[in-house]
Amino acid sequence: MRTEREADAQDQTKRRDEIQSQEIRRKFLDFFEKRGHRVYPGSSLIPHNDPTVLLTTAGMQQFITYFTGEDSPPSPTAVSVQKCFRTPDIEDVGDQSHLTFFEMLGNFSFGDYFKKEAIAWAWEFLTQTLGIPEEKLWVTIFSGDEDAPEDLEAKRLWMDVGVPEHKIFGLPKSENWWGPPGESGPCGPCSEVYYDYGEEFSNGDPSEDPKFGPGGEAGDPRFLEIWNLVFNQYEQRRDGTLVPLAKTGIDTGMGLERVTAAVQNVMYVYDTDVYTPVFTKAKEFSGVGLGDSEGTDRSLRILADHARGMAFLVADGVRPGNQGREYVLRRIIRRATREAYVRLGISAAQVSSLAGVVVDRMGDFYTELVAARSDIERIVGEEAARFVEIYHSGTELLDREIAKLAEGKKLSGEVAFLLHDTYGFPVEVTRDVLEERGLALDEAGFQAAMEGQRERARSAVQGYDRAVAAFRGAEFTSRFVGYEREQIETRIVALEEAPDAPGEFYVALAENPFYATGGGQVADKGWIASMSRDGGQLVVLDAVPAGDYQVLRARLENGGGFAVGDDVLASVDRVRRQQIEANHTATHILHWALRTVLGKEVHQAGSYVGPDRLRFDYRYSGRVTEEELQQVQEQCLLKITENQPVRYFTTTIDEARNLGAMMLFGEKYGDLVRVVEVNGFSRELCAGTHVRASAEVGAFKILSNRKHGADLYRIEVLTGREALDYLTRAAEKAERLSEVLRVELDDVVGAVQGLQGEVRESRDSAREQALRKGMEDVGALVAGAESVDGVKVVAGRVVAGDVKGLRQVSDDVKNRVGGPAVVVLAADLGGKAVLIANLHESLSDRIRAGDLVRELSSTLGGGGGGGPTMAQAGGGDPSAIEQTLARVRGIVAGRVSSGADG
């Protein structure tokens, strides 16, 4: 008979098992709303006005300016559920714990409550609202160091709510400290809450540290960190010293997936209800379920995580591409498709359906998923299908590289990186192909290439961070006057040497005419001349936005030096600024023209506005024809030559909406906004600099309009002097070509097309002759088919113009032989031996085409691979073709007989 304690424990476990993740999310918001917190909707995965990060990675990200003091919060307390995406763990997703996409539950205080309330509410929510047994929870605090003392206040408060002292232990600053976000600013100790699965799962002594095992390895499986409470109580000054903050703050983060695992008492997040719908649908498609094997479990976990990530990224406006967050989306779609298509036999269309499952599961709370359902399924499906094509073409490229390898050599890491970075061919697939053929990858070379890419990205971010951090905490005023003035007498209000570049300085001016990078527009350059020191001059290289002011990066060109308080003459490079302004106004005209020609579906997705050119990214699901592009150019030229006035004014966001001003998707606007209007047809919110009348744009020439993603186009344009220079050079080349071809200038295109036709006809004729010769050999090949244990085997050398022709001949032979057949044909193509194995599908359980060509390629001297019914080897010596073909019958006999015996 059960004891009363056992009955209570069983009832409590049952109650906890019934709490689903959606309910936990709602309970969290309700809990803190009842305690006076304002409920904030989670922000977009595209960070607002923060070029230092690709994607939103934490719940506090949308509140960072409240903590730094740059903005005043509308409410002193807040609670939110924030969708997050972290890229460093992409390659680790597939194990039992790593994620890219997750939901972060957070409660925040901006100078209101502090540790006492944060700790008491955390304990109450976990133990009473969610019903987690108190004995299952452990706590960490900051252990103290030479800069800040041990957080004994937090320890006492945890003990006050009922945590035994032996379950509270200290961790160093590397583990239990947050901030500052730059070289200075708010920071403070952290306190973490852990869920205890029990002693039987322990790696070591939990009184020492539940975060690490006995050998220092991360992740004792006994404990799961579920909540981190950050106590912002210090300000770190630029010299590294800490002083108490006048207004303390609370920033907490609890991963929904992790706390769900604790509530449902399962060891791993993938065992929770969060991922069940994706696993169920994947099993429906593949017949494979979680727990069937270690390999398929890894594939299923990748699909479960990436399906969520891709759905939310698309819903927030990200589209597959080759840079930044666009590349992240492309990468996870392709990584998921690799596991689905290559490992599990799930089609590209079915990968799209997995993303649709996420919409069904989470659309009630995240309504943006429902609104974007068609885009999600279409874009994921198109990108997945594209990867399947890349997989096959990438395999061919890899085969050619393998064929070049000398015996005992590894595949170059640079080649693997090229496949990975340029062609989107995952390095895991490269490793698998190499392993199948008994080869290896130069891992050190691949990692070096990857690290080089990461370092380039880090350098760009660090340069921005250093500039923004240069004057953090300093007190001065600076006013941007660049809309009205390009030259002004002003003074230096802040000056610091740049630590990474001798002779360079970070400068802030009382009145600053230099536009800082933003809104797609590059920063101004120019000069700062001393009016107090003879001959002193700084060359302005860059301008970076830093809240209410701009940080100028400048190099000392001559003179004895500069100091705070110096009177200076600040001058923008007028020639450069004028070309930037022409390009920026041209982007607005171009946007209008695209919407006029293609329809109101067109929306801006990004831009680059520099002195050399403009680049404009836009979303459009249709196909843009050459005729439509010509219409766009004509419309732009029409509006430029009309010389319409360009005006700008500041108004409220509501009034701007009433005026129909265009706004960028995902952009966060304040109460007051700046509107730029090209008289009569274009009105957009924009903080950039512009010409005064449209004719100042000058010449306008579209260079290209290319697809850059599933429904993303990138158009590049030259204006002004750059366009005139381009058109002049193009005219000179056309004139020279007309001389060479001895035709009139108007007839140059027709003459070139005629020559192309002649070359094409010659090439087609040669290919047809080769194919005709190959087809003539079909009858003899069919007649010479041999029977091996009921399987007809054809092996022969044929004439073919290219690989496509060789495959066509092999199809014809297989079809004419009929029934279970193995057809292996070889040809000399441009001095290289190429071999095709074409098998009847009924033989796939006994012999596979890919295995067959890999074995034959050892004689041929090349490399190869492929699927169960069609495979290719190439790159070998044509003189070895006959010897290779002579082996076919014996290999087939061995495989067929052993398969039959099995």
Side-chain angles (χ1 to χ4, degrees):
M1 185 174 178
R2 293 188 304 168
T3 66
E4 184 177 345
R5 180 181 178 85
E6 288 171 337
D8 288 345
Q10 184 170 333
D11 290 343
Q12 187 179 58
T13 298
K14 180 179 179 181
R15 178 163 53 85
R16 289 166 55 208
D17 287 344
E18 291 172 353
I19 299 179
Q20 300 288 290
S21 54
Q22 298 103 308
E23 189 178 354
I24 294 173
R25 187 196 295 127
R26 176 48 55 194
K27 284 179 178 288
F28 182 82
L29 293 174
D30 290 346
F31 180 91
F32 283 98
E33 185 176 23
K34 290 176 182 176
R35 286 154 182 80
H37 291 62
R38 175 176 172 172
V39 178
Y40 279 77
S43 63
S44 169
L45 284 174
I46 302 175
H48 165 65
N49 200 25
D50 187 355
T52 66
V53 289
L54 286 178
L55 297 162
T56 300
T57 59
M60 60 81 67
Q61 209 159 318
Q62 68 170 313
F63 304 118
I64 185 67
T65 58
Y66 300 157
F67 284 113
T68 60
E70 293 176 47
D71 293 316
S72 298
S75 170
T77 59
V79 61
S80 70
V81 177
Q82 177 63 53
K83 51 194 175 184
C84 301
F85 196 106
R86 294 182 182 172
T87 58
D89 292 336
I90 287 179
E91 297 301 333
D92 294 318
V93 171
D95 63 12
Q96 293 169 314
S97 60
H98 283 93
L99 307 172
T100 56
F101 177 86
F102 59 95
E103 296 177 77
M104 188 62 75
L105 314 177
N107 58 289
F108 308 89
S109 167
F110 316 113
D112 191 76
Y113 65 84
F114 199 45
K115 293 181 187 179
K116 181 179 179 180
E117 295 85 352
I119 288 172
W121 286 336
W123 190 253
E124 180 184 353
F125 180 75
L126 291 173
T127 60
Q128 296 182 35
T129 304
L130 298 185
I132 300 177
E134 294 183 5
E135 62 270 17
K136 285 286 191 179
L137 299 175
W138 293 56
V139 173
T140 71
I141 61 170
F142 174 55
S143 60
D145 59 15
E146 65 277 6
D147 297 322
E150 180 182 5
D151 194 357
L152 295 177
E153 179 187 10
K155 182 175 182 179
R156 175 180 57 77
L157 291 169
W158 281 116
M159 293 174 65
D160 287 348
V161 299
V163 182
E165 186 173 7
H166 73 275
K167 289 190 174 182
I168 305 172
F169 47 91
L171 291 181
K173 186 175 285 184
S174 60
E175 303 297 331
N176 266 18
W177 189 271
W178 179 85
E183 294 181 1
S184 61
C187 58
C190 304
S191 187
E192 301 164 322
V193 182
Y194 286 80
Y195 181 78
D196 181 5
Y197 286 103
E199 281 187 51
E200 61 269 31
F201 299 103
S202 181
N203 280 345
D205 182 358
S207 65
E208 294 181 2
D209 188 347
K211 205 164 194 172
F212 299 94
E217 68 276 11
D220 189 328
R222 174 177 176 177
F223 295 98
L224 177 69
E225 179 191 339
I226 58 175
W227 206 342
N228 185 21
L229 283 64
V230 176
F231 309 130
N232 281 312
Q233 66 184 95
Y234 297 104
E235 178 184 1
Q236 180 174 307
R237 291 178 172 169
R238 298 184 65 197
D239 61 4
T241 59
L242 298 177
V243 295
L245 278 173
K247 286 188 176 182
T248 57
I250 290 294
D251 159 23
T252 86
M254 177 165 58
L256 177 63
E257 296 77 12
R258 289 192 177 198
V259 74
T260 301
V263 169
Q264 297 176 358
N265 197 34
V266 295
M267 286 290 293
Y268 304 107
V269 293
Y270 288 105
D271 295 328
T272 66
D273 74 288
V274 172
Y275 301 95
T276 301
V278 178
F279 290 143
T280 301
K281 181 62 74 171
K283 185 171 185 177
E284 177 186 318
F285 290 148
S286 67
V288 175
L290 202 63
D292 287 357
S293 74
E294 184 177 341
T296 57
D297 280 1
R298 181 177 183 277
S299 297
L300 288 169
R301 287 191 288 262
I302 289 172
L303 286 177
D305 174 80
H306 289 1
R308 300 208 308 160
M310 63 180 72
F312 276 91
L313 286 170
V314 172
D316 277 353
V318 181
R319 297 296 182 265
N322 295 325
Q323 293 182 336
R325 61 183 69 95
E326 289 78 17
Y327 178 67
V328 171
L329 175 59
R330 169 163 286 169
R331 187 176 174 192
I332 64 169
I333 295 176
R334 291 183 174 183
R335 194 166 187 263
T337 307
R338 177 198 73 206
E339 300 300 323
Y341 180 76
V342 179
R343 316 278 191 207
L344 303 177
I346 295 174
S347 71
Q350 290 169 332
V351 173
S352 172
S353 295
L354 294 178
V357 169
V358 176
V359 179
D360 294 334
R361 172 70 171 184
M362 306 180 74
D364 287 346
F365 187 79
Y366 294 103
T367 56
E368 65 269 28
L369 290 175
V370 178
R373 176 190 286 276
S374 60
D375 281 344
I376 292 169
E377 294 184 344
R378 175 179 57 83
I379 289 165
V380 171
E382 290 174 355
E383 187 65 27
R386 192 173 293 113
F387 170 78
V388 172
E389 297 174 2
I390 287 172
Y391 171 74
H392 290 295
S393 61
T395 302
E396 292 179 2
L397 191 153
L398 181 56
D399 287 342
R400 292 197 294 272
E401 292 297 331
I402 289 174
K404 300 175 186 176
L405 290 180
E407 187 174 350
K409 292 291 186 180
K410 296 180 178 180
L411 181 73
S412 162
E414 289 289 342
V415 169
F417 178 76
L418 176 70
L419 283 164
H420 163 83
D421 191 58
T422 303
Y423 295 94
F425 194 77
V427 70
E428 296 89 344
V429 178
T430 299
R431 291 191 184 104
D432 289 346
V433 172
L434 292 171
E435 185 177 345
E436 288 171 0
R437 304 185 191 184
L439 300 170
L441 171 64
D442 174 13
E443 295 286 355
F446 176 74
Q447 292 302 327
M450 288 290 289
E451 184 56 35
Q453 183 189 56
R454 294 189 194 104
E455 184 57 39
R456 288 188 292 273
R458 277 196 297 267
S459 295
V461 171
Q462 287 169 358
Y464 178 90
D465 284 344
R466 282 191 289 267
V468 171
F471 305 128
R472 183 173 282 129
E475 294 185 2
F476 58 80
T477 58
S478 176
R479 185 168 62 93
F480 176 63
V481 296
Y483 295 135
E484 303 84 16
R485 304 286 297 275
E486 292 170 355
Q487 185 178 77
I488 190 170
E489 294 182 7
T490 182
R491 61 187 175 84
I492 295 174
V493 293
L495 182 74
E496 287 287 340
E497 287 191 44
D500 56 323
E504 292 188 6
F505 296 85
Y506 294 127
V507 185
L509 302 175
E511 294 84 24
N512 168 52
F514 298 97
Y515 182 86
T517 303
Q521 180 173 326
V522 301
D524 282 329
K525 295 184 179 181
W527 304 270
I528 299 173
S530 174
M531 299 175 66
S532 309
R533 302 167 188 267
D534 293 338
Q537 180 165 286
L538 291 164
V539 178
V540 177
L541 307 172
D542 196 7
V544 174
D548 295 333
Y549 59 93
Q550 294 77 41
V551 178
L552 310 179
R553 185 169 64 86
R555 184 182 65 246
L556 183 63
E557 188 172 72
N558 53 54
F562 287 80
V564 172
D566 281 2
D567 293 323
V568 294
L569 178 66
S571 304
V572 173
D573 182 337
R574 173 59 190 153
V575 173
R576 185 174 180 275
R577 163 80 84 88
Q578 189 175 40
Q579 190 63 30
I580 293 171
E581 289 176 341
N583 280 328
H584 205 153
T585 303
T587 64
H588 289 217
I589 297 172
L590 175 62
H591 193 186
W592 167 83
L594 286 166
R595 288 168 62 85
T596 299
V597 174
L598 302 178
K600 302 307 180 186
E601 175 193 346
V602 170
H603 287 285
Q604 181 176 351
S607 65
Y608 164 84
V609 179
D612 53 337
R613 71 189 192 285
L614 73 87
R615 185 185 70 225
F616 188 83
D617 294 346
Y618 64 97
R619 305 213 180 282
Y620 179 63
S621 59
R623 176 177 170 269
V624 182
T625 66
E626 286 298 321
E627 292 76 14
E628 288 170 329
L629 196 62
Q630 183 62 36
Q631 290 177 41
V632 169
Q633 171 137 325
E634 290 171 358
Q635 289 293 324
C636 290
L637 286 170
L638 175 65
K639 291 302 180 185
I640 290 168
T641 55
E642 284 179 357
N643 198 24
Q644 298 287 356
V646 179
R647 296 184 288 266
Y648 57 85
F649 56 90
T650 300
T651 187
T652 65
I653 185 68
D654 291 336
E655 180 61 20
R657 288 194 182 97
N658 292 336
L659 291 171
M662 294 289 296
M663 303 181 189
L664 289 183
F665 175 83
E667 186 68 35
K668 183 178 178 182
Y669 296 104
D671 293 333
L672 293 177
V673 293
R674 183 172 182 264
V675 178
V676 174
E677 181 181 73
V678 187
N679 190 52
F681 65 94
S682 172
R683 187 179 290 125
E684 298 190 25
L685 300 194
C686 180
T689 61
H690 289 267
V691 297
R692 282 68 180 163
S694 62
E696 293 179 31
V697 172
F700 181 96
K701 172 59 181 169
I702 295 176
L703 294 181
S704 63
N705 181 60
R706 298 188 180 94
K707 268 240 174 186
H708 204 62
D711 61 352
L712 183 67
Y713 282 87
R714 171 165 291 176
I715 190 167
E716 297 208 10
V717 176
L718 297 179
T719 72
R721 288 180 300 278
E722 295 291 334
L724 288 173
D725 181 61
Y726 173 86
L727 293 170
T728 300
R729 286 185 286 109
E732 290 172 349
K733 290 176 182 178
E735 290 167 358
R736 175 62 182 147
L737 191 57
S738 72
E739 293 175 7
V740 172
L741 295 174
R742 297 182 179 179
V743 297
E744 294 296 323
L745 192 60
D746 290 343
D747 299 327
V748 165
V749 174
V752 172
Q753 289 174 337
L755 290 174
Q756 288 177 324
E758 292 176 15
V759 171
R760 188 162 49 247
E761 287 176 8
S762 177
R763 188 185 302 119
D764 291 344
S765 176
R767 185 182 297 113
E768 287 174 9
Q769 290 178 12
L771 182 59
R772 193 179 303 114
K773 180 64 174 67
M775 290 301 183
E776 291 172 0
D777 296 335
V778 168
L781 291 167
V782 172
E786 299 180 85
S787 182
V788 177
D789 288 337
V791 176
K792 294 178 181 178
V793 179
V794 176
R797 180 170 183 163
V798 298
V799 175
D802 52 21
V803 173
K804 182 179 178 181
L806 184 59
R807 287 180 176 173
Q808 189 173 337
V809 173
S810 74
D811 279 336
D812 196 43
V813 172
K814 184 179 72 172
N815 293 335
R816 289 180 58 177
V817 168
V822 173
V823 177
V824 179
L825 303 181
D828 181 346
L829 300 180
K832 295 289 185 180
V834 178
L835 180 145
I836 293 287
N838 196 339
L839 278 61
H840 193 274
E841 60 185 14
S842 64
L843 299 175
S844 60
D845 60 337
R846 290 185 283 173
I847 182 170
R848 296 172 62 88
D851 297 334
L852 180 58
V853 299
R854 276 191 283 274
E855 190 164 349
L856 290 170
S857 63
S858 62
T859 306
L860 195 63
T869 61
M870 175 71 79
Q872 174 183 330
D877 182 1
S879 65
I881 287 178
E882 279 69 24
Q883 181 185 356
T884 302
L885 293 173
R887 298 180 58 210
V888 172
R889 188 181 188 284
I891 295 173
V892 172
R895 296 290 179 92
V896 171
S897 60
S898 63
D901 293 342

